[in-house]
Amino acid sequence: MSDFDHKPVMLAEVLGALAPKPGGVYADGTLGGGGHARAILEASAPSGRLYGGDRDATAMEAAGERLREFAGRVELRRGNFADLADWVPSGSCDGVLLDLGVSSPQLDAAARGFSFQADGPLDMRMDRGQDLTAAELVNGLEVEALAKIFWEWGGERASRPLARAIAQRRQERPLARTSELAELIERVTPRHGKRAHPATKVFQALRIAVNDEIGSLEKGLAGALGLLKPGGRLVLITFHSLEDRIVKNFGRIRARDYRVAGEVDIPELREPRAPEVRWITRKAVKPGEAELAENPRSRSAQMRVMEKV
Ligand SMILES: C[S@@+](CC[C@H](N)C(=O)[O-])C[C@H]1O[C@@H](n2cnc3c(N)ncnc32)[C@H](O)[C@@H]1O
């Protein structure tokens, strides 16, 4: 076993939604340590197949090891799930899973630079082959652009004062370490009894920006729908409200029995059409008490499921 230890979240709920069966075909665009993928392959034995991908080379290595015994039934490729449709045949899948965000091993490895709790380089790339890092954003963006990222993708109220403080600080010397950024944020916006660390939102926002998480999700959802057979299910696990809103809107629009002609939805101008999906769980499903107690990192997870019509 590798030391890539990530507990798959809401495993029972995911299996319940996908109902893997022998002969079924599945795609997991966020393999991570391969926990969900393994359970899907076990539940669809002896003949279920799985296409699996992840942007992170370390995750691919761990998942490859974990899924080795299913060699004849899996096809794995490193890459962004936004590009799944480039290699997974369209209309081939009974189920597609996207379990978004970062994995515990990514968060815990200080050298990856995702965490404000461990000192590391300001990196935050899931795909270490990519050029853009958090350090480049923090040291290179204009104050307004930086504040926009903090506000839009972190919901950080002190986005402007923080961006200004960063710009001032980097005139002396570029920010290079996660601890330098976390300390600066704590100085500008002290904790004052708050539960979350004051750097939580800025770190989330930078991670989203570095990895183009919103763009990937929007493209990935449309692509994933194209991979499904009619009756196939799309299972989405999100970890913050921005992601969840995108998933919710995607499902809402695709479940409509009409198309909106212009920018605004004017009932008289609606064009009827067949819905593309139906909701299986319109309301988000959250982890149960037992899972929350066992895996505190699951606390912000929410699952939504839709079925292709
Ligand atoms: C929460 S973990 C998945 C854990 C996995 N389900 C398991 O059972 O171990 C999220 C994974 O998604 C990957 N990821 C996030 N965004 C991605 C994207 N746009 N394309 C491909 N992989 C992505 C991350 O690298 C990470 O390994």
Side-chain angles (χ1 to χ4, degrees), residues 225-284:
L225 196 56
L227 305 184
L228 288 171
K229 298 172 182 166
R233 290 194 172 174
L234 180 52
V235 177
L236 303 144
I237 303 178
T238 62
F239 288 85
H240 53 76
S241 55
L242 265 183
E243 283 173 348
D244 190 52
R245 197 178 324 141
I246 291 170
V247 168
K248 223 167 36 186
N249 274 337
F250 177 83
R252 192 172 52 84
I253 291 169
R254 303 286 177 138
R256 283 174 178 162
D257 60 0
Y258 61 87
R259 200 190 320 272
V260 173
E263 293 283 302
V264 190
D265 182 7
I266 302 167
E268 294 74 40
L269 298 182
R270 289 176 179 173
E271 298 165 11
R273 59 124 209 230
E276 290 177 83
V277 302
R278 73 180 181 95
W279 282 111
I280 300 298
T281 61
R282 190 196 297 272
K283 201 164 171 297

Coordinates of all heavy atoms in Angstrom, one line a residue, residues 225-284:
L225 N -21.9 14.8 -18.7 CA -23.3 14.5 -19.2 C -23.2 13.8 -20.5 O -24.0 12.8 -20.8 CB -24.1 15.8 -19.3 CG -25.6 15.6 -19.4 CD1 -26.1 14.8 -18.2 CD2 -26.2 17.0 -19.4
G226 N -22.3 14.2 -21.4 CA -22.1 13.6 -22.7 C -21.6 12.2 -22.6 O -21.8 11.4 -23.6
L227 N -21.0 11.8 -21.5 CA -20.4 10.5 -21.4 C -21.5 9.4 -21.0 O -21.3 8.2 -21.2 CB -19.3 10.4 -20.3 CG -18.2 11.4 -20.4 CD1 -17.2 11.1 -19.3 CD2 -17.5 11.2 -21.8
L228 N -22.6 10.0 -20.5 CA -23.6 9.0 -19.9 C -24.5 8.5 -21.0 O -24.9 9.2 -21.9 CB -24.4 9.8 -18.9 CG -23.7 10.1 -17.5 CD1 -24.6 11.0 -16.7 CD2 -23.4 8.8 -16.8
K229 N -24.9 7.2 -20.7 CA -26.1 6.6 -21.5 C -27.3 7.2 -20.9 O -27.4 7.6 -19.8 CB -26.1 5.1 -21.2 CG -25.0 4.3 -21.6 CD -25.2 2.9 -21.0 CE -24.0 2.0 -21.4 NZ -24.0 0.8 -20.6
P230 N -28.4 7.2 -21.7 CA -29.7 7.6 -21.0 C -29.9 6.7 -19.8 O -29.7 5.5 -19.9 CB -30.8 7.3 -22.1 CG -30.0 7.3 -23.4 CD -28.6 6.8 -23.1
G231 N -30.4 7.2 -18.7 CA -30.5 6.5 -17.5 C -29.3 6.4 -16.6 O -29.3 6.0 -15.5
G232 N -28.1 6.9 -17.2 CA -26.9 6.9 -16.5 C -26.9 8.0 -15.4 O -27.6 9.0 -15.6
R233 N -26.1 7.9 -14.4 CA -26.1 8.9 -13.3 C -24.9 9.7 -13.1 O -23.8 9.1 -13.2 CB -26.5 8.2 -12.0 CG -27.9 7.7 -12.1 CD -28.4 7.3 -10.7 NE -29.8 7.0 -10.8 CZ -30.5 6.5 -9.8 NH1 -29.9 6.3 -8.6 NH2 -31.8 6.3 -9.9
L234 N -25.0 10.9 -12.8 CA -23.9 11.8 -12.6 C -23.9 12.1 -11.1 O -24.9 12.6 -10.5 CB -24.1 13.1 -13.4 CG -23.1 14.2 -13.3 CD1 -21.7 13.7 -13.5 CD2 -23.4 15.3 -14.3
V235 N -22.9 11.7 -10.4 CA -22.8 11.9 -8.9 C -21.7 12.9 -8.6 O -20.5 12.8 -9.1 CB -22.4 10.6 -8.2 CG1 -22.2 10.8 -6.7 CG2 -23.5 9.5 -8.5
L236 N -22.1 14.0 -7.9 CA -21.2 15.1 -7.7 C -21.0 15.4 -6.2 O -22.0 15.5 -5.5 CB -21.7 16.3 -8.4 CG -21.9 16.1 -9.9 CD1 -23.1 16.8 -10.4 CD2 -20.7 16.4 -10.6
I237 N -19.8 15.4 -5.7 CA -19.5 15.7 -4.3 C -18.8 17.0 -4.3 O -17.7 17.2 -4.9 CB -18.7 14.6 -3.6 CG1 -19.5 13.3 -3.7 CG2 -18.5 15.0 -2.2 CD1 -18.7 12.1 -3.1
T238 N -19.4 18.0 -3.7 CA -18.7 19.4 -3.6 C -18.3 19.7 -2.2 O -18.8 19.0 -1.2 CB -19.7 20.5 -4.1 OG1 -20.8 20.5 -3.2 CG2 -20.2 20.2 -5.5
F239 N -17.4 20.6 -2.0 CA -16.9 21.0 -0.7 C -17.0 22.4 -0.3 O -16.6 22.8 0.8 CB -15.4 20.5 -0.6 CG -15.3 19.0 -0.5 CD1 -15.3 18.3 -1.7 CD2 -15.3 18.3 0.7 CE1 -15.2 16.9 -1.6 CE2 -15.3 17.0 0.8 CZ -15.2 16.2 -0.4
H240 N -17.5 23.2 -1.2 CA -17.8 24.6 -0.8 C -19.0 25.1 -1.6 O -19.3 24.6 -2.7 CB -16.6 25.5 -0.8 CG -15.9 25.5 -2.1 ND1 -16.3 26.2 -3.2 CD2 -14.7 25.0 -2.5 CE1 -15.5 26.1 -4.2 NE2 -14.5 25.3 -3.8
S241 N -19.6 26.3 -1.2 CA -20.8 26.7 -1.7 C -20.7 27.1 -3.2 O -21.6 27.0 -4.0 CB -21.4 27.8 -0.9 OG -20.5 28.8 -0.8
L242 N -19.5 27.6 -3.5 CA -19.3 28.1 -4.9 C -19.5 26.9 -5.9 O -20.2 27.0 -6.9 CB -17.9 28.5 -5.1 CG -17.6 30.0 -5.0 CD1 -16.1 30.2 -5.3 CD2 -18.4 30.8 -6.0
E243 N -18.9 25.8 -5.6 CA -19.0 24.6 -6.4 C -20.4 24.1 -6.4 O -20.9 23.7 -7.4 CB -18.1 23.4 -5.8 CG -16.7 23.5 -6.0 CD -15.9 22.4 -5.2 OE1 -16.5 21.7 -4.3 OE2 -14.7 22.3 -5.5
D244 N -21.0 24.0 -5.2 CA -22.3 23.5 -5.1 C -23.3 24.3 -5.9 O -24.2 23.8 -6.5 CB -22.8 23.4 -3.6 CG -24.1 22.6 -3.5 OD1 -24.1 21.5 -4.0 OD2 -25.0 23.2 -2.9
R245 N -23.1 25.6 -5.9 CA -24.0 26.5 -6.7 C -23.9 26.2 -8.2 O -24.9 26.2 -8.9 CB -23.7 28.0 -6.4 CG -24.8 28.9 -6.9 CD -24.5 30.4 -6.6 NE -23.7 30.6 -5.3 CZ -22.7 31.4 -5.2 NH1 -22.4 32.2 -6.2 NH2 -22.1 31.6 -4.0
I246 N -22.7 26.0 -8.6 CA -22.5 25.7 -10.1 C -23.2 24.3 -10.4 O -23.9 24.2 -11.4 CB -21.0 25.6 -10.4 CG1 -20.5 27.0 -10.3 CG2 -20.8 25.0 -11.8 CD1 -19.0 27.1 -10.4
V247 N -23.1 23.3 -9.5 CA -23.7 22.0 -9.8 C -25.2 22.2 -9.8 O -26.0 21.7 -10.6 CB -23.3 21.0 -8.7 CG1 -24.1 19.8 -8.7 CG2 -21.8 20.7 -8.9
K248 N -25.7 22.9 -8.8 CA -27.2 23.2 -8.7 C -27.8 23.8 -9.9 O -28.8 23.4 -10.4 CB -27.4 24.0 -7.4 CG -28.6 23.6 -6.6 CD -28.6 24.2 -5.2 CE -28.2 25.7 -5.2 NZ -28.2 26.2 -3.8
N249 N -27.1 24.9 -10.3 CA -27.5 25.6 -11.5 C -27.5 24.8 -12.8 O -28.4 24.8 -13.6 CB -26.7 26.9 -11.8 CG -27.2 28.0 -11.0 OD1 -28.3 28.1 -10.6 ND2 -26.3 29.0 -10.7
F250 N -26.4 24.0 -12.9 CA -26.3 23.1 -14.0 C -27.5 22.2 -14.1 O -28.2 22.0 -15.1 CB -25.0 22.3 -13.9 CG -24.8 21.3 -15.0 CD1 -24.3 21.7 -16.3 CD2 -25.1 20.0 -14.9 CE1 -24.1 20.8 -17.3 CE2 -24.9 19.1 -15.9 CZ -24.4 19.5 -17.1
G251 N -27.8 21.5 -12.9 CA -28.9 20.6 -12.9 C -30.2 21.3 -13.1 O -31.1 20.7 -13.8
R252 N -30.4 22.5 -12.6 CA -31.7 23.2 -12.7 C -31.9 23.5 -14.2 O -33.0 23.3 -14.7 CB -31.6 24.5 -11.9 CG -32.9 25.2 -11.7 CD -32.6 26.4 -10.7 NE -31.5 27.3 -11.1 CZ -31.6 28.3 -11.9 NH1 -32.7 28.6 -12.5 NH2 -30.5 29.0 -12.2
I253 N -30.9 24.0 -14.9 CA -31.1 24.4 -16.3 C -31.3 23.1 -17.1 O -32.2 23.1 -18.0 CB -29.9 25.2 -16.7 CG1 -29.9 26.6 -16.0 CG2 -29.9 25.4 -18.2 CD1 -28.7 27.4 -16.2
R254 N -30.6 22.1 -16.9 CA -30.7 20.9 -17.7 C -31.9 20.1 -17.5 O -32.3 19.3 -18.3 CB -29.4 20.0 -17.5 CG -28.1 20.7 -17.8 CD -27.9 20.9 -19.3 NE -26.7 21.6 -19.5 CZ -25.8 21.3 -20.5 NH1 -26.0 20.3 -21.3 NH2 -24.7 22.0 -20.7
A255 N -32.5 20.3 -16.3 CA -33.8 19.6 -15.9 C -35.0 20.3 -16.5 O -36.1 19.7 -16.4 CB -33.9 19.4 -14.4
R256 N -34.8 21.5 -17.0 CA -36.0 22.2 -17.5 C -36.6 21.6 -18.8 O -35.8 21.0 -19.6 CB -35.6 23.7 -17.9 CG -35.4 24.6 -16.7 CD -34.8 25.9 -17.3 NE -34.6 26.9 -16.3 CZ -33.8 27.9 -16.4 NH1 -33.2 28.1 -17.6 NH2 -33.7 28.8 -15.5
D257 N -37.9 21.8 -19.0 CA -38.5 21.3 -20.2 C -38.6 22.4 -21.2 O -39.5 22.4 -22.1 CB -39.8 20.6 -19.9 CG -40.8 21.5 -19.3 OD1 -40.4 22.7 -19.1 OD2 -41.9 21.1 -19.0
Y258 N -37.8 23.4 -21.0 CA -37.8 24.5 -22.0 C -36.4 25.2 -22.1 O -35.6 25.0 -21.2 CB -38.8 25.6 -21.6 CG -38.5 26.2 -20.2 CD1 -37.7 27.3 -20.1 CD2 -39.1 25.7 -19.1 CE1 -37.4 27.9 -18.9 CE2 -38.8 26.3 -17.8 CZ -38.0 27.3 -17.8 OH -37.7 27.9 -16.5
R259 N -36.2 25.9 -23.2 CA -34.9 26.6 -23.3 C -35.3 28.1 -23.2 O -36.3 28.5 -23.6 CB -34.4 26.3 -24.7 CG -32.9 26.6 -24.9 CD -32.6 26.6 -26.4 NE -33.2 25.5 -27.1 CZ -32.7 24.2 -27.2 NH1 -31.6 23.9 -26.7 NH2 -33.4 23.3 -27.9
V260 N -34.4 28.8 -22.6 CA -34.6 30.3 -22.5 C -34.0 30.9 -23.7 O -32.8 30.6 -24.1 CB -33.9 30.8 -21.2 CG1 -33.9 32.3 -21.1 CG2 -34.5 30.2 -19.9
A261 N -34.8 31.8 -24.4 CA -34.3 32.3 -25.6 C -33.2 33.4 -25.5 O -32.2 33.3 -26.2 CB -35.5 33.0 -26.4
G262 N -33.3 34.3 -24.5 CA -32.3 35.3 -24.4 C -31.5 35.2 -23.1 O -31.4 34.1 -22.5
E263 N -31.0 36.3 -22.6 CA -30.3 36.3 -21.3 C -31.3 36.1 -20.2 O -30.9 35.5 -19.2 CB -29.7 37.7 -21.2 CG -28.6 38.0 -22.1 CD -27.3 37.3 -21.8 OE1 -26.8 37.6 -20.6 OE2 -26.8 36.5 -22.6
V264 N -32.5 36.7 -20.3 CA -33.4 36.6 -19.2 C -34.5 35.6 -19.5 O -34.9 35.4 -20.6 CB -34.1 38.0 -19.0 CG1 -34.9 38.1 -17.7 CG2 -33.0 39.1 -19.0
D265 N -35.0 35.0 -18.4 CA -36.1 33.9 -18.6 C -37.4 34.6 -18.6 O -38.0 34.9 -17.5 CB -35.9 32.9 -17.4 CG -37.0 31.8 -17.6 OD1 -37.7 31.8 -18.6 OD2 -37.1 31.0 -16.6
I266 N -37.9 34.9 -19.8 CA -39.3 35.5 -19.9 C -40.2 34.4 -20.3 O -40.0 33.8 -21.4 CB -39.3 36.6 -21.0 CG1 -38.3 37.7 -20.6 CG2 -40.7 37.2 -21.1 CD1 -38.0 38.7 -21.6
P267 N -41.2 34.0 -19.5 CA -42.1 32.8 -19.7 C -42.6 32.8 -21.1 O -42.6 31.7 -21.8 CB -43.2 32.9 -18.7 CG -42.5 33.6 -17.5 CD -41.5 34.6 -18.2
E268 N -43.0 33.9 -21.7 CA -43.7 33.9 -23.0 C -42.7 33.5 -24.1 O -43.0 33.1 -25.2 CB -44.2 35.3 -23.4 CG -45.4 35.7 -22.6 CD -45.0 36.2 -21.2 OE1 -43.9 36.8 -21.1 OE2 -45.7 35.8 -20.2
L269 N -41.4 33.7 -23.8 CA -40.4 33.4 -24.9 C -39.7 32.1 -24.7 O -38.8 31.8 -25.5 CB -39.3 34.5 -24.8 CG -39.8 36.0 -25.1 CD1 -38.6 36.9 -25.1 CD2 -40.4 36.0 -26.5
R270 N -40.2 31.3 -23.8 CA -39.6 30.0 -23.6 C -39.8 29.0 -24.8 O -40.9 29.0 -25.3 CB -40.2 29.3 -22.3 CG -39.7 30.0 -21.1 CD -40.4 29.3 -19.9 NE -39.9 30.0 -18.7 CZ -40.4 29.7 -17.5 NH1 -41.4 28.9 -17.3 NH2 -40.0 30.3 -16.4
E271 N -38.8 28.3 -25.2 CA -38.9 27.3 -26.3 C -39.0 25.9 -25.6 O -38.0 25.5 -25.0 CB -37.7 27.4 -27.2 CG -37.6 28.8 -27.9 CD -36.2 28.9 -28.5 OE1 -35.5 28.0 -28.6 OE2 -35.9 30.1 -28.9
P272 N -40.1 25.2 -25.9 CA -40.1 23.9 -25.3 C -39.1 22.9 -25.8 O -38.7 23.0 -27.0 CB -41.5 23.4 -25.7 CG -42.2 24.5 -26.4 CD -41.2 25.5 -26.7
R273 N -38.6 22.1 -25.0 CA -37.6 21.0 -25.4 C -37.7 19.9 -24.3 O -38.2 20.2 -23.2 CB -36.2 21.6 -25.5 CG -35.6 22.2 -24.2 CD -34.3 21.6 -23.9 NE -34.2 21.7 -22.4 CZ -33.1 22.1 -21.8 NH1 -32.1 22.5 -22.5 NH2 -33.0 22.1 -20.5
A274 N -37.1 18.8 -24.6 CA -37.1 17.7 -23.6 C -36.0 18.0 -22.6 O -34.9 18.4 -23.0 CB -36.9 16.4 -24.3
P275 N -36.3 17.7 -21.3 CA -35.3 17.9 -20.3 C -34.1 16.9 -20.6 O -34.3 15.8 -21.1 CB -35.9 17.5 -19.0 CG -37.4 17.4 -19.3 CD -37.6 17.2 -20.7
E276 N -32.9 17.3 -20.2 CA -31.7 16.5 -20.4 C -31.5 15.6 -19.2 O -30.9 14.5 -19.3 CB -30.5 17.3 -20.7 CG -30.5 18.0 -22.0 CD -29.3 18.9 -22.2 OE1 -28.2 18.4 -22.6 OE2 -29.4 20.1 -21.9
V277 N -31.8 16.1 -18.0 CA -31.6 15.3 -16.8 C -32.8 15.4 -15.9 O -33.7 16.2 -16.1 CB -30.4 15.8 -16.0 CG1 -29.1 15.8 -16.8 CG2 -30.7 17.2 -15.4
R278 N -32.9 14.4 -15.0 CA -33.8 14.6 -13.9 C -33.1 14.4 -12.6 O -32.1 13.7 -12.5 CB -35.0 13.6 -14.0 CG -34.7 12.2 -13.6 CD -35.9 11.3 -13.8 NE -35.5 9.9 -13.4 CZ -35.7 9.4 -12.2 NH1 -36.3 10.1 -11.2 NH2 -35.3 8.1 -12.0
W279 N -33.5 15.2 -11.6 CA -32.8 15.1 -10.3 C -33.1 13.8 -9.6 O -34.3 13.4 -9.5 CB -33.2 16.2 -9.4 CG -32.7 17.6 -9.6 CD1 -33.3 18.7 -10.1 CD2 -31.3 18.0 -9.4 NE1 -32.5 19.7 -10.2 CE2 -31.2 19.3 -9.8 CE3 -30.2 17.3 -8.9 CZ2 -30.0 20.1 -9.7 CZ3 -29.0 18.1 -8.8 CH2 -28.9 19.4 -9.2
I280 N -32.1 13.2 -9.0 CA -32.3 12.0 -8.1 C -32.3 12.5 -6.7 O -33.2 12.2 -5.9 CB -31.2 10.9 -8.3 CG1 -31.3 10.4 -9.8 CG2 -31.4 9.8 -7.3 CD1 -32.5 9.8 -10.2
T281 N -31.4 13.5 -6.4 CA -31.4 14.1 -5.1 C -31.3 15.6 -5.4 O -30.2 16.1 -5.5 CB -30.2 13.7 -4.2 OG1 -29.0 14.1 -5.0 CG2 -30.2 12.2 -4.0
R282 N -32.4 16.3 -5.5 CA -32.4 17.7 -5.8 C -31.8 18.4 -4.6 O -31.0 19.4 -4.7 CB -33.8 18.3 -6.0 CG -33.8 19.7 -6.5 CD -35.1 20.3 -6.4 NE -36.1 19.6 -7.2 CZ -36.4 19.9 -8.5 NH1 -35.7 20.9 -9.1 NH2 -37.3 19.2 -9.2
K283 N -32.1 17.9 -3.4 CA -31.6 18.5 -2.2 C -30.2 17.8 -1.9 O -30.2 16.6 -2.0 CB -32.6 18.2 -1.0 CG -32.4 19.1 0.1 CD -33.7 19.0 1.0 CE -33.5 19.8 2.3 NZ -32.5 19.2 3.2
A284 N -29.2 18.6 -1.5 CA -27.9 18.0 -1.3 C -28.0 17.0 -0.1 O -28.6 17.2 0.9 CB -26.9 19.1 -1.0

